[in-house]
Amino acid sequence: MNIHEYQAKELLAKFGVPVPAGHAAMSVDEAIAAAAGLPGPLYVVKAQIHAGGRGKGKFKELGPDAKGGVRLARTLQDVENHAREMLGHTLVTVQTGPEGKQVQRLYITDGVDIAKEFYLALLVDRSTGRIAVVASTEGGMDIETVAHDTPEKIQTITIDPATGLMPHHGRAVAAALDLSSDLARQAQHVLAKLYDAFTGTDASQIEINPLAVTEDGKLMVLDAKVAFDSNAMFRHPDLAELRDESEEDPMELEASKHDLAYIKLDGDIGCMVNGAGLAMATMDIIKLNGAFPANFLDVGGGASKEKVTSAFKIILSDPAVKGILVNIFGGIMRCDIIADGIIAAAREVDLSVPLVVRLEGTNVEEGKRILADSGLPIVAANDLGDAARKIVAQVKQAA
């Protein structure tokens, strides 16, 4: 689960992480009032969307020469002007894709005189089962370029969960950022507070970019991206309340309501599979046959007819889908239940794209009989390879 920058900073501040003063604003008037309550005389007006690259982003409605989603303001009038240009408009960044995201809220923060910018992040390293601290002296808006062109400028330090954060980790991070003396001690303090926040909230990512040294020698977090392990949210009902559903893909949001594992992709062949590994294999074999999957969708091992129906409807709600491949290996999941769900959903939404179904396992013959007797234009497949070839051919024929 992701949260907005202003929420992330408020959360980190509770753990003792140094952040500049700031306030969220949902309207132009609130933005002006927020700025008026800050020391000034420099303010930063920041668009709040769940995507990086806001500073270099562009607003669709304002043309290619418009300023991005992070702007400096020296007067309250500047704050008002920026707020009017941002709120309700669509910000396009390298992470949003060409469709962009509509800005519905702003974050007005106190301006900071920056002497140097760094990058610092805490992540879950799945390969080692440890928390990884990623640090670079090259912080700021071009960190992606740094990672691509000069990866040696990015250092990673892993933390053994058996020991937790140790003093040598802090010294290693300070050295990676080329900090010494008082700034090195500040870096160790910031890392300790970030580690407390990471472990205390079941976070999966805390990204600080930039971590800045101010002109008066203070280390401060100027931007923060925080994400949590959704599977741990039952332990943090207060954090679950921070979820902004308007920032999520509507189909992924609908899938979560039915306890479906769904991720939208860029292809045109919808997939409904039971089991994550089988779903990955299904997507691979679709690509092997020259097409691209429109989604990852795992209905799970014991889905009901209603859950299957919901999954089918979610796939069909994607206008990019030109065909559907259902690939079910029935162990706990019975093939006749899958068949009933497919038929119910197809009739409810008026199926208008080719549908290929491969069933195998428990009650497979009954499932095939149900599909064959439905009167719907369903193409049966004998195995996964046969199913992939058939759906790709059906989509090409219908194009």
Side-chain angles (χ1 to χ4, degrees):
M1 186 187 84
N2 296 316
I3 58 176
H4 289 290
E5 175 197 357
Y6 77 91
Q7 296 168 320
K9 284 186 176 176
E10 290 173 359
L11 179 64
L12 294 179
K14 293 178 181 178
F15 284 88
V17 178
V19 300
H23 305 284
M26 313 299 176
S27 67
V28 174
D29 288 343
E30 287 185 6
I32 297 170
L38 296 173
L42 182 65
Y43 315 99
V44 187
V45 182
K46 312 181 83 172
Q48 297 294 283
I49 59 172
H50 287 180
R54 292 170 296 163
K56 289 187 173 182
K58 298 295 181 183
F59 285 91
K60 275 186 175 182
E61 300 87 348
L62 304 181
D65 298 326
K67 297 178 181 178
V70 179
R71 306 182 188 180
L72 297 178
R74 299 188 180 278
T75 67
L76 295 184
Q77 185 61 55
D78 288 343
V79 172
E80 179 180 351
N81 293 341
H82 293 328
R84 291 190 185 281
E85 288 189 352
M86 291 185 183
L87 283 171
H89 294 152
T90 304
L91 180 61
V92 179
T93 79
V94 293
Q95 292 188 11
T96 65
E99 68 278 4
K101 286 191 174 183
Q102 188 179 68
V103 177
Q104 301 182 40
R105 60 190 77 191
L106 303 175
Y107 186 36
I108 315 300
T109 72
D110 202 30
V112 174
D113 293 323
I114 301 172
K116 174 66 177 173
E117 294 183 339
F118 306 101
Y119 177 90
L120 184 65
L122 279 74
L123 309 165
V124 176
D125 186 341
R126 305 291 181 186
S127 63
T128 63
R130 299 183 176 190
I131 296 174
V133 182
V134 182
S136 175
T137 55
E138 310 301 311
M141 292 191 293
D142 295 320
I143 187 63
E144 289 84 2
T145 303
V146 174
H148 182 270
D149 296 342
T150 54
E152 68 277 5
K153 293 184 177 181
I154 298 177
Q155 298 188 40
T156 301
I157 300 103
T158 59
I159 301 173
D160 190 331
T163 63
L165 185 70
M166 302 292 285
H168 69 85
H169 294 123
R171 293 193 294 270
V173 168
L177 299 179
D178 197 23
L179 297 175
S180 59
S181 190
D182 181 57
L183 284 174
R185 287 189 288 273
Q186 289 187 53
Q188 294 173 48
H189 172 80
V190 170
L191 176 63
K193 298 306 180 183
L194 289 174
Y195 183 82
D196 288 344
F198 193 94
T199 56
T201 63
D202 287 308
S204 58
Q205 172 186 10
I206 296 181
E207 183 182 47
I208 309 301
N209 187 30
L211 173 68
V213 175
T214 64
E215 291 288 356
D216 59 354
K218 303 297 183 184
L219 206 58
M220 188 167 289
V221 169
L222 299 191
D223 197 358
K225 179 180 180 181
V226 176
F228 306 105
D229 182 349
S230 297
N231 295 316
M233 283 301 95
F234 72 94
R235 291 202 290 252
H236 306 281
D238 55 327
L239 298 179
E241 293 178 359
L242 301 178
R243 182 180 183 183
D244 182 0
E245 294 184 350
S246 68
E247 287 290 321
E248 301 178 28
D249 182 276
M251 285 178 284
E252 293 182 10
L253 180 60
E254 181 65 20
S256 69
K257 295 178 181 178
H258 299 281
D259 194 27
L260 294 166
Y262 174 91
I263 299 173
K264 179 172 167 51
L265 302 174
D266 296 331
D268 58 7
I269 294 181
C271 305
M272 186 174 76
V273 191
N274 66 323
L278 187 59
M280 296 295 290
T282 301
M283 293 190 296
D284 285 344
I285 203 164
I286 287 173
K287 293 191 69 174
L288 185 64
N289 281 272
F292 294 90
N295 63 269
F296 169 98
L297 197 158
D298 174 14
V299 296
S304 64
K305 172 184 174 182
E306 290 73 22
K307 192 172 181 179
V308 172
T309 302
S310 297
F312 209 80
K313 289 165 67 176
I314 289 169
I315 293 175
L316 287 171
S317 69
D318 183 355
V321 169
K322 302 296 189 293
I324 301 174
L325 171 57
V326 176
N327 181 26
I328 299 297
F329 186 85
I332 299 173
M333 168 63 73
R334 289 164 35 197
C335 293
D336 55 323
I337 291 178
I338 290 289
D340 285 336
I342 291 171
I343 292 169
R347 286 174 173 161
E348 188 171 340
V349 300
D350 189 21
L351 181 66
S352 59
V353 298
L355 171 61
V356 173
V357 178
R358 179 256 182 163
L359 296 178
E360 192 58 71
T362 305
N363 287 6
V364 62
E365 296 304 325
E366 177 65 10
K368 290 180 177 180
R369 184 195 64 75
I370 291 171
L371 293 176
D373 294 346
S374 68
L376 295 172
I378 298 173
V379 177
N382 297 320
D383 53 43
L384 180 52
D386 182 46
R389 289 188 293 272
K390 284 181 175 177
I391 189 58
V392 171
Q394 290 277 323
V395 169
K396 288 181 178 179
Q397 182 178 345

